[in-house]
Amino acid sequence: MLNTDFPVLSALIFFPLIAAVVLFFIRGDKNIRVFTLVVGLIECVLMLPLLGFNLTTAEFQFVEKHVWIEAWNINYYLGIDGISILMILLTVILLPLCVLCSWSYIGKRVKEFHFCLLLMTTACVGIFSALDFVLFYIFWEAMLVPMYLMIAVWGGPNKRYASLKFFIYTLAGSTLFLAAIVAFFIHTGTFSIPELMQHEYGFRFQMWAFLAMALAFAIKVPMFPFHTWLPAAHVEAPTAGSVLLASILLKMGTYGFLRFCMPITPAASDFFAPLMITLAIISVIYGSFVAIGQQDMKKLIAYSSVAHMGFVTLGIFVFAFRGVEGAIMHMVNHGIITGAMFMLVGLLYERSHSREIADNMGLSKHLPIYTGFLLLFSLAAFGFPGTNGFFSKLLVLIGVFEASYFLGVLFIIGLLLGLAYLMRLLLSVGWGSPSNASNWKDINTREWVYLLPLLLLVFYLGLAPGRALNIMGPSIENLLDNFERERHISEHANICNEIPSISSKLSYTETEILYSPELRTMEVANNTESNTKELN
């Protein structure tokens, strides 16, 4: 593992936390906003050392490890690889943008709101960099509180219902995840995630551990049928809350599949892959269909997120290099695009005080710049060539077609449904009638400042995705190599021990199974014994 003298990850985690404490000594709403914005910009500077990420290795980098609770073998253990670094970069970039998009939107309890923003940044960076299960769980739970407060305090008319539903769903998933962590510790005596990846587990243990973890992650993604908390939370949350929810929080579920399920429980991941793929396909089709019929723009984007995260889950569980590569890329791209879409809805709400499509039609004549942004981000969401959504969906599509032509056809149907709800939104808001926008002002300087970086990322990752793909490449190869090796070891062990058959799930052909060394040895021994009995 590569180490560095400067604790980059600790700085990224604790600087916003320290700033959140300092925030309580600052008076005046404007001063609080400026202070948090400066903190966000400094946080962006602090992450610059991460640009020195080594592209040639799959090892964890920028590692920090210190004993925390020696008696329980719990360590303050941080590190990143090609799977996590891009999500950390996105988290840090979003902090100042969220401050700017909330500048006039948040008018009450400004100090507490920005405290929640800073606390969210700490928790999110911690989740993507923790290499100790206990540390990871602390950050995982820490994220829950500020997001709950954002919805409950600064949300819409149904904020109490939405926040409670969000809290109950995610807390239920977290409890199952905690049970899996305890089971791993009892089984291995360690909370170290890299060490847990090196252990071998029986199939039954893997199966129960996978179910506990996968349910927690499926709620977080969210996958059908665990998605019902998401539309309510998105609709009621303030703009910055929706941005963080869509861009970062949803990705924690798919990150969990990649970081824990595949490397630690490979045989169970393979066994349950048909179920996960089925749920992913249902999420894509169902999310797209429901999005088509929505009148509330936030709810439309929320259901589209269910469909997009279905694409990501599908890419992961086909266990192909291109599929996983596209899935990770789409985690980042969806965070950029959907974050921008929620910002666009938020700035429109500040003008019309409504999120209904019918109240925000015909903007192209009066708000041409806004319509231009909406057009470009909608094209990116569809996956138009030249935008970031194109390459990530293309890679997932290649991975899915390599696994199954039938799945590939369903994937394309999902893409076409996505085009339908995006075109409906774009045509209605841009060129629909009647229009009430004659007195509305187009995008101002502050709105330019927080939309433009996301638009630049759309085209940078759309036209030059090579750097991002190179970052994640070695980590994906290592993940899939270890997954295949551990899965085969588990499957051979299960065959020899006659544990409930999973032969229908094996990647071996029937011939390979029949003529595997272990089975041939058993077959020869049985034949020899039978022949001896016949001779006697």
Coordinates of all heavy atoms in Angstrom, one line a residue, residues 196-284:
L196 N -10.3 -8.5 5.6 CA -11.6 -9.2 5.3 C -11.7 -9.7 3.9 O -12.2 -10.8 3.6 CB -12.8 -8.4 5.7 CG -13.0 -8.1 7.2 CD1 -14.1 -7.1 7.4 CD2 -13.4 -9.4 7.9
M197 N -11.1 -8.9 3.0 CA -11.1 -9.3 1.6 C -10.2 -10.5 1.3 O -10.4 -11.2 0.3 CB -10.6 -8.1 0.7 CG -11.6 -7.0 0.6 SD -10.8 -5.6 -0.3 CE -12.1 -4.4 -0.2
Q198 N -9.2 -10.8 2.2 CA -8.3 -11.9 2.0 C -8.8 -13.2 2.6 O -8.3 -14.2 2.3 CB -6.9 -11.5 2.6 CG -6.3 -10.2 2.1 CD -6.2 -10.2 0.5 OE1 -5.7 -11.3 0.0 NE2 -6.5 -9.1 -0.1
H199 N -9.8 -13.1 3.5 CA -10.3 -14.3 4.2 C -11.2 -15.1 3.2 O -11.8 -14.6 2.3 CB -11.1 -13.9 5.4 CG -10.2 -13.7 6.6 ND1 -9.5 -12.6 6.8 CD2 -10.1 -14.5 7.7 CE1 -8.8 -12.7 7.9 NE2 -9.2 -13.9 8.5
E200 N -11.3 -16.4 3.5 CA -12.2 -17.3 2.8 C -13.4 -17.6 3.7 O -13.2 -17.9 4.9 CB -11.5 -18.5 2.3 CG -10.4 -18.2 1.3 CD -9.7 -19.5 0.9 OE1 -10.2 -20.6 1.3 OE2 -8.7 -19.4 0.2
Y201 N -14.6 -17.6 3.2 CA -15.8 -17.9 4.0 C -16.6 -19.0 3.3 O -16.6 -19.1 2.1 CB -16.6 -16.6 4.0 CG -15.9 -15.4 4.5 CD1 -15.3 -14.6 3.5 CD2 -15.7 -15.0 5.8 CE1 -14.6 -13.4 3.9 CE2 -15.0 -13.9 6.2 CZ -14.5 -13.1 5.2 OH -13.8 -12.0 5.6
G202 N -17.3 -19.8 4.2 CA -18.2 -20.8 3.6 C -19.3 -20.2 2.9 O -19.7 -19.0 3.1
F203 N -20.0 -21.0 2.1 CA -21.0 -20.5 1.2 C -22.2 -20.0 2.1 O -22.8 -18.9 1.8 CB -21.5 -21.5 0.2 CG -22.6 -21.0 -0.6 CD1 -22.4 -20.1 -1.6 CD2 -23.9 -21.5 -0.4 CE1 -23.5 -19.6 -2.4 CE2 -25.0 -21.0 -1.2 CZ -24.7 -20.0 -2.2
R204 N -22.6 -20.7 3.1 CA -23.7 -20.3 3.9 C -23.5 -19.0 4.6 O -24.3 -18.1 4.7 CB -24.1 -21.4 4.9 CG -24.8 -22.6 4.3 CD -25.4 -23.5 5.4 NE -26.1 -24.7 4.7 CZ -25.5 -25.8 4.5 NH1 -24.3 -26.0 4.8 NH2 -26.2 -26.8 3.9
F205 N -22.3 -18.9 5.1 CA -21.9 -17.6 5.8 C -22.0 -16.4 4.8 O -22.5 -15.4 5.1 CB -20.5 -17.7 6.4 CG -20.1 -16.4 7.1 CD1 -20.4 -16.2 8.4 CD2 -19.3 -15.5 6.4 CE1 -20.0 -15.0 9.1 CE2 -18.9 -14.3 7.1 CZ -19.3 -14.1 8.4
Q206 N -21.4 -16.7 3.6 CA -21.4 -15.6 2.6 C -22.9 -15.3 2.2 O -23.2 -14.1 2.0 CB -20.7 -16.1 1.3 CG -19.2 -16.2 1.4 CD -18.6 -16.3 0.1 OE1 -19.0 -15.7 -0.9 NE2 -17.5 -17.1 0.0
M207 N -23.7 -16.3 2.1 CA -25.1 -16.0 1.7 C -25.8 -15.1 2.7 O -26.4 -14.1 2.3 CB -25.8 -17.4 1.6 CG -27.2 -17.2 1.0 SD -28.1 -18.8 0.9 CE -28.3 -19.2 2.7
W208 N -25.7 -15.4 4.0 CA -26.4 -14.6 5.0 C -25.8 -13.2 5.1 O -26.5 -12.2 5.3 CB -26.4 -15.3 6.4 CG -27.3 -16.5 6.4 CD1 -26.9 -17.8 6.5 CD2 -28.7 -16.4 6.3 NE1 -28.0 -18.6 6.4 CE2 -29.1 -17.8 6.3 CE3 -29.7 -15.4 6.1 CZ2 -30.5 -18.2 6.2 CZ3 -31.0 -15.8 6.0 CH2 -31.4 -17.1 6.1
A209 N -24.4 -13.2 5.0 CA -23.7 -11.8 5.1 C -24.1 -11.0 3.9 O -24.4 -9.8 4.0 CB -22.2 -12.1 5.1
F210 N -24.2 -11.6 2.7 CA -24.5 -10.9 1.5 C -25.9 -10.3 1.6 O -26.2 -9.2 1.3 CB -24.4 -11.8 0.3 CG -24.9 -11.2 -1.0 CD1 -24.0 -10.4 -1.8 CD2 -26.2 -11.2 -1.4 CE1 -24.4 -9.8 -2.9 CE2 -26.7 -10.6 -2.6 CZ -25.8 -9.9 -3.3
L211 N -26.9 -11.2 2.1 CA -28.3 -10.7 2.2 C -28.4 -9.5 3.1 O -29.1 -8.5 2.8 CB -29.1 -11.9 2.7 CG -29.4 -13.0 1.7 CD1 -30.2 -14.1 2.3 CD2 -30.2 -12.4 0.5
A212 N -27.7 -9.6 4.3 CA -27.7 -8.4 5.2 C -27.2 -7.2 4.6 O -27.8 -6.1 4.7 CB -27.0 -8.8 6.5
M213 N -26.0 -7.3 4.0 CA -25.4 -6.1 3.4 C -26.2 -5.6 2.1 O -26.4 -4.4 2.0 CB -24.0 -6.4 2.9 CG -23.0 -6.7 4.1 SD -21.3 -6.7 3.6 CE -21.3 -8.2 2.5
A214 N -26.6 -6.6 1.3 CA -27.2 -6.2 0.0 C -28.6 -5.5 0.3 O -28.9 -4.5 -0.4 CB -27.5 -7.4 -0.8
L215 N -29.3 -5.9 1.3 CA -30.5 -5.2 1.7 C -30.3 -3.8 2.1 O -31.0 -2.9 1.7 CB -31.3 -6.0 2.7 CG -32.7 -5.5 3.0 CD1 -33.6 -5.5 1.8 CD2 -33.4 -6.4 4.1
A216 N -29.3 -3.6 2.9 CA -28.9 -2.2 3.3 C -28.5 -1.4 2.1 O -29.0 -0.2 2.0 CB -27.7 -2.3 4.3
F217 N -27.7 -1.9 1.2 CA -27.3 -1.2 0.0 C -28.4 -1.0 -0.9 O -28.5 0.1 -1.6 CB -26.1 -1.9 -0.6 CG -24.9 -2.1 0.2 CD1 -24.1 -3.2 0.1 CD2 -24.6 -1.1 1.2 CE1 -23.0 -3.4 0.9 CE2 -23.5 -1.3 2.0 CZ -22.7 -2.4 1.9
A218 N -29.3 -2.0 -1.1 CA -30.5 -1.8 -2.0 C -31.4 -0.7 -1.6 O -32.0 0.0 -2.4 CB -31.2 -3.1 -2.1
I219 N -31.6 -0.5 -0.2 CA -32.4 0.6 0.3 C -31.7 1.9 -0.1 O -32.3 2.9 -0.5 CB -32.6 0.5 1.8 CG1 -33.5 -0.7 2.1 CG2 -33.2 1.7 2.4 CD1 -33.6 -1.1 3.6
K220 N -30.4 1.9 0.1 CA -29.7 3.2 -0.2 C -29.6 3.6 -1.6 O -29.6 4.8 -2.0 CB -28.2 3.1 0.4 CG -27.5 4.4 0.5 CD -28.0 5.2 1.7 CE -27.5 4.7 3.0 NZ -27.8 5.5 4.1
V221 N -29.6 2.6 -2.6 CA -29.4 2.9 -4.0 C -30.4 3.9 -4.6 O -30.0 4.9 -5.2 CB -29.4 1.5 -4.8 CG1 -29.5 1.8 -6.3 CG2 -28.1 0.8 -4.5
P222 N -31.8 3.8 -4.4 CA -32.6 2.6 -4.0 C -33.0 1.8 -5.1 O -33.3 2.3 -6.2 CB -33.7 3.3 -3.3 CG -34.0 4.6 -4.1 CD -32.6 4.9 -4.7
M223 N -33.1 0.5 -4.9 CA -33.6 -0.5 -5.9 C -35.1 -0.8 -5.7 O -35.6 -0.7 -4.5 CB -32.8 -1.8 -5.9 CG -31.4 -1.7 -6.2 SD -30.5 -3.2 -6.0 CE -31.2 -4.2 -7.3
F224 N -35.8 -1.1 -6.7 CA -37.2 -1.6 -6.6 C -37.2 -2.9 -5.8 O -36.3 -3.7 -6.0 CB -37.8 -1.8 -8.0 CG -39.2 -2.3 -7.9 CD1 -40.3 -1.5 -7.9 CD2 -39.4 -3.7 -7.9 CE1 -41.5 -2.0 -7.9 CE2 -40.7 -4.2 -7.9 CZ -41.8 -3.4 -7.9
P225 N -38.0 -3.1 -4.8 CA -39.1 -2.3 -4.3 C -38.8 -1.5 -3.1 O -39.7 -1.2 -2.3 CB -40.1 -3.4 -4.0 CG -39.2 -4.5 -3.4 CD -38.0 -4.4 -4.2
F226 N -37.5 -1.1 -2.9 CA -37.1 -0.3 -1.7 C -37.0 1.2 -2.0 O -36.3 1.9 -1.2 CB -35.8 -0.9 -1.1 CG -35.8 -2.4 -0.9 CD1 -35.1 -3.2 -1.8 CD2 -36.5 -3.0 0.1 CE1 -35.1 -4.6 -1.7 CE2 -36.5 -4.3 0.2 CZ -35.8 -5.1 -0.6
H227 N -37.6 1.6 -3.0 CA -37.3 3.0 -3.6 C -38.3 4.0 -3.0 O -38.1 5.2 -3.3 CB -37.5 2.9 -5.1 CG -38.9 2.6 -5.5 ND1 -39.4 1.3 -5.5 CD2 -39.9 3.4 -6.0 CE1 -40.6 1.4 -5.9 NE2 -41.0 2.6 -6.2
T228 N -39.4 3.6 -2.3 CA -40.5 4.5 -2.1 C -40.1 5.7 -1.2 O -40.8 6.7 -1.3 CB -41.6 3.8 -1.4 OG1 -41.2 3.2 -0.2 CG2 -42.2 2.7 -2.3
W229 N -39.0 5.6 -0.5 CA -38.6 6.8 0.3 C -38.0 7.9 -0.5 O -38.0 9.1 -0.1 CB -37.6 6.4 1.4 CG -36.3 5.9 0.9 CD1 -36.0 4.6 0.6 CD2 -35.1 6.7 0.5 NE1 -34.7 4.5 0.1 CE2 -34.2 5.8 0.0 CE3 -34.8 8.0 0.5 CZ2 -32.9 6.2 -0.4 CZ3 -33.6 8.5 0.1 CH2 -32.7 7.5 -0.3
L230 N -37.5 7.5 -1.7 CA -36.7 8.5 -2.5 C -37.5 9.6 -3.1 O -37.2 10.8 -2.9 CB -35.9 7.8 -3.6 CG -35.0 8.7 -4.4 CD1 -33.9 9.2 -3.6 CD2 -34.5 8.0 -5.7
P231 N -38.6 9.4 -3.8 CA -39.4 10.5 -4.3 C -39.9 11.5 -3.3 O -39.8 12.7 -3.5 CB -40.6 9.8 -5.0 CG -40.1 8.4 -5.3 CD -39.2 8.1 -4.2
A232 N -40.4 10.9 -2.1 CA -40.8 11.8 -1.1 C -39.7 12.7 -0.5 O -39.8 13.9 -0.3 CB -41.4 11.0 0.1
A233 N -38.5 12.1 -0.3 CA -37.4 12.8 0.2 C -36.9 13.9 -0.8 O -36.6 15.0 -0.4 CB -36.2 11.8 0.5
H234 N -36.8 13.5 -2.1 CA -36.4 14.5 -3.1 C -37.3 15.7 -3.2 O -36.9 16.8 -3.3 CB -36.3 13.8 -4.4 CG -34.9 13.3 -4.7 ND1 -33.8 14.1 -4.5 CD2 -34.4 12.1 -5.2 CE1 -32.7 13.4 -4.8 NE2 -33.1 12.2 -5.3
V235 N -38.6 15.4 -3.2 CA -39.6 16.4 -3.4 C -39.6 17.4 -2.2 O -39.7 18.6 -2.4 CB -41.0 15.8 -3.6 CG1 -42.1 16.9 -3.5 CG2 -41.1 15.1 -4.9
E236 N -39.5 16.9 -1.0 CA -39.5 17.8 0.1 C -38.2 18.5 0.5 O -38.2 19.5 1.2 CB -40.1 17.0 1.3 CG -41.4 16.4 1.1 CD -42.5 17.4 0.8 OE1 -42.4 18.6 1.3 OE2 -43.4 17.1 0.0
A237 N -37.1 17.9 0.1 CA -35.8 18.4 0.5 C -35.5 19.7 -0.2 O -36.0 20.0 -1.3 CB -34.7 17.4 0.1
P238 N -34.7 20.6 0.4 CA -34.3 21.8 -0.3 C -33.3 21.4 -1.4 O -32.9 20.3 -1.5 CB -33.5 22.6 0.8 CG -33.1 21.5 1.8 CD -34.2 20.5 1.8
T239 N -33.0 22.4 -2.3 CA -32.2 22.1 -3.5 C -30.9 21.4 -3.1 O -30.5 20.4 -3.7 CB -31.9 23.4 -4.2 OG1 -33.2 23.9 -4.6 CG2 -31.1 23.1 -5.5
A240 N -30.2 22.0 -2.2 CA -28.9 21.4 -1.8 C -29.0 20.0 -1.3 O -28.2 19.1 -1.5 CB -28.2 22.2 -0.8
G241 N -30.1 19.7 -0.5 CA -30.4 18.4 0.0 C -30.6 17.4 -1.1 O -30.1 16.3 -1.1
S242 N -31.4 17.8 -2.1 CA -31.7 16.9 -3.3 C -30.4 16.7 -4.1 O -30.2 15.6 -4.5 CB -32.7 17.6 -4.2 OG -34.0 17.7 -3.6
V243 N -29.5 17.7 -4.2 CA -28.3 17.5 -4.9 C -27.4 16.5 -4.2 O -26.9 15.6 -4.9 CB -27.5 18.9 -5.0 CG1 -26.1 18.7 -5.6 CG2 -28.3 19.8 -5.9
L244 N -27.2 16.6 -2.9 CA -26.4 15.7 -2.2 C -27.0 14.3 -2.1 O -26.3 13.3 -2.2 CB -26.2 16.2 -0.7 CG -25.3 17.5 -0.6 CD1 -25.3 18.0 0.8 CD2 -23.9 17.2 -1.1
L245 N -28.3 14.3 -2.0 CA -29.0 13.0 -2.0 C -28.8 12.2 -3.3 O -28.4 11.1 -3.4 CB -30.5 13.2 -1.8 CG -31.4 12.1 -1.3 CD1 -30.9 11.5 0.0 CD2 -32.8 12.5 -1.2
A246 N -29.0 12.9 -4.4 CA -28.9 12.3 -5.8 C -27.4 12.0 -6.2 O -27.1 11.0 -6.7 CB -29.6 13.2 -6.8
S247 N -26.6 13.0 -5.8 CA -25.2 12.9 -6.3 C -24.3 12.0 -5.5 O -23.4 11.3 -6.1 CB -24.6 14.3 -6.4 OG -25.3 15.2 -7.2
I248 N -24.5 11.9 -4.2 CA -23.6 11.2 -3.3 C -24.3 10.1 -2.6 O -23.8 8.9 -2.6 CB -23.0 12.2 -2.3 CG1 -22.4 13.4 -3.0 CG2 -21.9 11.4 -1.5 CD1 -21.2 13.1 -4.0
L249 N -25.4 10.4 -1.9 CA -25.9 9.3 -1.0 C -26.4 8.1 -1.7 O -26.2 7.0 -1.3 CB -27.1 9.9 -0.2 CG -26.7 10.5 1.2 CD1 -25.8 11.7 1.0 CD2 -28.0 10.8 2.0
L250 N -27.0 8.2 -2.9 CA -27.5 7.1 -3.6 C -26.3 6.2 -4.1 O -26.4 5.0 -4.2 CB -28.3 7.5 -4.9 CG -29.5 8.4 -4.7 CD1 -30.3 8.5 -6.0 CD2 -30.4 8.0 -3.6
K251 N -25.1 6.8 -4.3 CA -24.0 6.0 -4.7 C -23.4 5.2 -3.6 O -22.6 4.3 -3.9 CB -22.9 7.0 -5.3 CG -23.4 8.1 -6.2 CD -24.2 7.5 -7.4 CE -24.7 8.5 -8.4 NZ -25.8 9.4 -7.8
M252 N -23.7 5.5 -2.4 CA -23.2 4.7 -1.3 C -23.6 3.2 -1.4 O -22.9 2.3 -1.0 CB -23.6 5.3 0.0 CG -22.9 6.6 0.3 SD -23.5 7.4 1.7 CE -22.6 9.0 1.6
G253 N -24.9 3.0 -1.9 CA -25.4 1.7 -2.0 C -24.6 0.9 -3.1 O -24.1 -0.2 -2.8
T254 N -24.4 1.5 -4.3 CA -23.6 0.8 -5.3 C -22.2 0.7 -4.9 O -21.5 -0.3 -5.3 CB -23.8 1.5 -6.6 OG1 -23.6 2.9 -6.5 CG2 -25.2 1.3 -7.2
Y255 N -21.6 1.7 -4.2 CA -20.3 1.6 -3.7 C -20.1 0.4 -2.7 O -19.1 -0.3 -2.8 CB -19.9 2.9 -3.0 CG -18.5 2.9 -2.4 CD1 -17.4 3.0 -3.1 CD2 -18.4 2.7 -1.0 CE1 -16.1 3.0 -2.6 CE2 -17.1 2.7 -0.4 CZ -16.0 2.8 -1.2 OH -14.8 2.8 -0.6
G256 N -21.2 0.2 -1.9 CA -21.2 -1.0 -1.0 C -21.1 -2.3 -1.8 O -20.4 -3.2 -1.3
F257 N -21.9 -2.4 -2.9 CA -21.8 -3.6 -3.7 C -20.4 -3.9 -4.1 O -19.9 -5.0 -4.1 CB -22.7 -3.5 -4.9 CG -24.2 -3.5 -4.5 CD1 -25.1 -2.7 -5.2 CD2 -24.7 -4.4 -3.6 CE1 -26.4 -2.7 -4.9 CE2 -26.1 -4.5 -3.3 CZ -26.9 -3.6 -3.9
L258 N -19.7 -2.8 -4.6 CA -18.4 -3.0 -5.2 C -17.3 -3.2 -4.1 O -16.4 -4.0 -4.3 CB -18.0 -1.7 -6.0 CG -18.8 -1.5 -7.3 CD1 -18.6 -0.1 -7.7 CD2 -18.3 -2.5 -8.3
R259 N -17.4 -2.5 -3.0 CA -16.4 -2.6 -1.9 C -16.5 -3.8 -1.0 O -15.5 -4.3 -0.6 CB -16.5 -1.3 -1.1 CG -15.5 -1.2 0.1 CD -14.1 -1.2 -0.4 NE -13.6 0.1 -0.9 CZ -12.8 0.2 -2.0 NH1 -12.3 -0.9 -2.6 NH2 -12.4 1.4 -2.4
F260 N -17.8 -4.2 -0.8 CA -18.0 -5.3 0.2 C -18.5 -6.6 -0.4 O -18.0 -7.6 -0.1 CB -18.9 -4.8 1.3 CG -18.4 -3.6 2.0 CD1 -19.1 -2.4 2.0 CD2 -17.2 -3.6 2.7 CE1 -18.7 -1.2 2.6 CE2 -16.7 -2.4 3.3 CZ -17.5 -1.2 3.3
C261 N -19.6 -6.5 -1.1 CA -20.3 -7.7 -1.6 C -19.4 -8.5 -2.5 O -19.2 -9.7 -2.3 CB -21.6 -7.3 -2.2 SG -22.9 -6.7 -1.1
M262 N -18.9 -7.9 -3.6 CA -18.1 -8.6 -4.6 C -16.8 -9.2 -4.0 O -16.5 -10.3 -4.2 CB -17.9 -7.7 -5.8 CG -19.0 -7.7 -6.8 SD -18.6 -6.7 -8.2 CE -17.3 -7.7 -9.0
P263 N -16.0 -8.4 -3.3 CA -14.7 -8.9 -2.8 C -14.8 -9.8 -1.6 O -14.0 -10.7 -1.5 CB -13.9 -7.7 -2.5 CG -14.8 -6.6 -2.3 CD -16.1 -6.9 -3.1
I264 N -15.8 -9.6 -0.7 CA -15.8 -10.4 0.5 C -16.8 -11.6 0.4 O -16.5 -12.6 1.0 CB -16.3 -9.4 1.7 CG1 -15.3 -8.3 1.8 CG2 -16.3 -10.2 3.0 CD1 -15.6 -7.3 3.0
T265 N -17.9 -11.4 -0.3 CA -18.8 -12.6 -0.5 C -19.0 -12.9 -2.0 O -20.1 -12.7 -2.5 CB -20.2 -12.2 0.2 OG1 -20.7 -11.0 -0.4 CG2 -20.0 -12.0 1.6
P266 N -17.9 -13.3 -2.6 CA -18.0 -13.5 -4.1 C -19.0 -14.6 -4.5 O -19.7 -14.4 -5.5 CB -16.6 -13.8 -4.5 CG -15.9 -14.3 -3.3 CD -16.6 -13.6 -2.1
A267 N -19.0 -15.8 -3.8 CA -19.8 -16.9 -4.2 C -21.3 -16.5 -4.1 O -22.1 -16.8 -4.9 CB -19.5 -18.1 -3.4
A268 N -21.6 -15.8 -3.0 CA -23.0 -15.4 -2.7 C -23.4 -14.3 -3.7 O -24.5 -14.2 -4.2 CB -23.1 -14.8 -1.3
S269 N -22.4 -13.4 -4.1 CA -22.7 -12.4 -5.1 C -23.1 -13.0 -6.4 O -24.0 -12.6 -7.1 CB -21.5 -11.4 -5.3 OG -21.3 -10.7 -4.1
D270 N -22.3 -14.1 -6.7 CA -22.6 -14.8 -8.0 C -24.0 -15.5 -7.9 O -24.7 -15.5 -8.8 CB -21.5 -15.8 -8.2 CG -21.7 -16.5 -9.6 OD1 -21.9 -15.8 -10.6 OD2 -21.6 -17.7 -9.6
F271 N -24.2 -16.1 -6.7 CA -25.5 -16.9 -6.6 C -26.7 -16.0 -6.7 O -27.7 -16.4 -7.3 CB -25.4 -17.6 -5.2 CG -26.6 -18.4 -4.9 CD1 -26.7 -19.7 -5.4 CD2 -27.7 -18.0 -4.2 CE1 -27.8 -20.5 -5.1 CE2 -28.8 -18.8 -3.9 CZ -28.9 -20.0 -4.4
F272 N -26.6 -14.8 -6.1 CA -27.7 -13.9 -6.1 C -27.8 -12.9 -7.3 O -28.6 -12.0 -7.3 CB -27.8 -13.1 -4.8 CG -28.2 -13.9 -3.6 CD1 -27.3 -14.2 -2.6 CD2 -29.6 -14.3 -3.5 CE1 -27.7 -15.0 -1.5 CE2 -30.0 -15.0 -2.4 CZ -29.1 -15.4 -1.4
A273 N -26.8 -13.0 -8.2 CA -26.7 -12.1 -9.3 C -28.0 -12.1 -10.1 O -28.5 -11.0 -10.5 CB -25.5 -12.5 -10.2
P274 N -28.6 -13.3 -10.4 CA -29.9 -13.2 -11.2 C -30.9 -12.4 -10.5 O -31.7 -11.7 -11.2 CB -30.3 -14.7 -11.3 CG -29.0 -15.5 -11.2 CD -28.2 -14.7 -10.2
L275 N -31.0 -12.5 -9.2 CA -32.0 -11.7 -8.5 C -31.7 -10.2 -8.5 O -32.6 -9.4 -8.8 CB -32.0 -12.2 -7.0 CG -32.9 -11.3 -6.1 CD1 -34.4 -11.4 -6.5 CD2 -32.7 -11.7 -4.6
M276 N -30.4 -9.9 -8.4 CA -30.0 -8.5 -8.4 C -30.2 -7.9 -9.8 O -30.7 -6.7 -10.0 CB -28.5 -8.3 -8.0 CG -28.2 -8.9 -6.6 SD -29.2 -8.1 -5.3 CE -28.5 -6.4 -5.3
I277 N -29.9 -8.7 -10.8 CA -30.1 -8.2 -12.2 C -31.6 -8.0 -12.5 O -32.0 -7.0 -13.1 CB -29.5 -9.2 -13.2 CG1 -27.9 -9.2 -13.1 CG2 -29.9 -9.0 -14.6 CD1 -27.2 -10.2 -13.9
T278 N -32.4 -8.9 -12.0 CA -33.9 -8.8 -12.2 C -34.4 -7.5 -11.6 O -35.2 -6.8 -12.2 CB -34.6 -10.0 -11.6 OG1 -34.1 -11.2 -12.3 CG2 -36.1 -9.9 -11.9
L279 N -34.0 -7.3 -10.3 CA -34.4 -6.1 -9.6 C -33.9 -4.8 -10.3 O -34.6 -3.8 -10.4 CB -34.0 -6.1 -8.2 CG -34.6 -7.2 -7.3 CD1 -34.0 -7.1 -5.9 CD2 -36.1 -6.9 -7.2
A280 N -32.7 -4.9 -10.8 CA -32.1 -3.8 -11.6 C -32.9 -3.4 -12.8 O -33.2 -2.3 -13.1 CB -30.6 -4.0 -11.9
I281 N -33.2 -4.5 -13.6 CA -34.0 -4.3 -14.8 C -35.4 -3.7 -14.4 O -35.9 -2.8 -15.1 CB -34.2 -5.6 -15.6 CG1 -32.9 -6.0 -16.2 CG2 -35.3 -5.5 -16.6 CD1 -32.4 -5.1 -17.3
I282 N -36.0 -4.3 -13.4 CA -37.3 -3.7 -13.0 C -37.2 -2.2 -12.6 O -38.1 -1.4 -12.9 CB -37.9 -4.6 -11.8 CG1 -38.3 -6.0 -12.3 CG2 -39.2 -3.9 -11.2 CD1 -38.7 -6.9 -11.2
S283 N -36.1 -1.9 -11.9 CA -35.9 -0.5 -11.5 C -35.8 0.4 -12.7 O -36.3 1.5 -12.7 CB -34.6 -0.4 -10.6 OG -34.7 -1.2 -9.5
V284 N -35.1 -0.1 -13.7 CA -34.9 0.7 -14.9 C -36.3 0.9 -15.6 O -36.7 2.1 -15.9 CB -33.9 0.0 -15.9 CG1 -33.9 0.7 -17.3 CG2 -32.5 0.0 -15.3

